[in-house]
Amino acid sequence: MTEREAISDIIDAHRHLEGSLLPILHAVQDRFGYLPPNSNRLIADALRVSEADVHGVISFYHYFRQRPPGKHAVSVCRAEACQAQGCRQLEAHIKTRLGIDFHDVTDDGQFSLEPVYCLGNCATGPTVRVNNTIYGRMSAEKVDRLFERLAVDTVRLLS
Ligand code: FES
């Protein structure tokens, strides 16, 4: 199945819903990890809205990605319980360590960084998620070790 066919299938599966644009965008991102470049036009045509309308919604919600995430998609919890445990300092450290801001991807494509608001791990914050794994009680040192291990694992996989 081509990317275009997959997007069309997703649109067909959701277009009957009221306010179908958001469910379609979520489903496309779930499928591809981001919103592929031609998805805006396909969605706009199917819903009979303008591409600018679709783009406006995508731009409003930072959750939606318009380019592929890094191999290691890092999310830092910014919600209250994690704030009380120092997540803002940890967030600053991670940004410096990776050399990117939120909603960005490292030049080598290894890491992307997103904010998130509660990962259900409030008792053991600060909390960081990498892809589907949650890490609690994170510190700058633990994050450094984790990122080094992930980078080494990637090199091992490629060699
Ligand atoms: S507040 Fe961070 S996991 Fe809930």
Side-chain angles (χ1 to χ4, degrees), residues 77 79-82 118-122 127:
C77 178
E80 276 183 35
C82 283
C118 196
L119 290 162
N121 190 53
C122 315
T127 304

Side-chain angles (χ1 to χ4, degrees), residues 7 23 26 47-48 68 74 85 87 115 119 124 143 145 152-153:
I7 293 169
H26 278 283
L47 300 185
R48 296 172 198 259
V74 179
Q85 299 295 326
C87 75
L119 290 162
T124 58
V143 159
R145 283 201 300 272
V152 167
D153 288 348

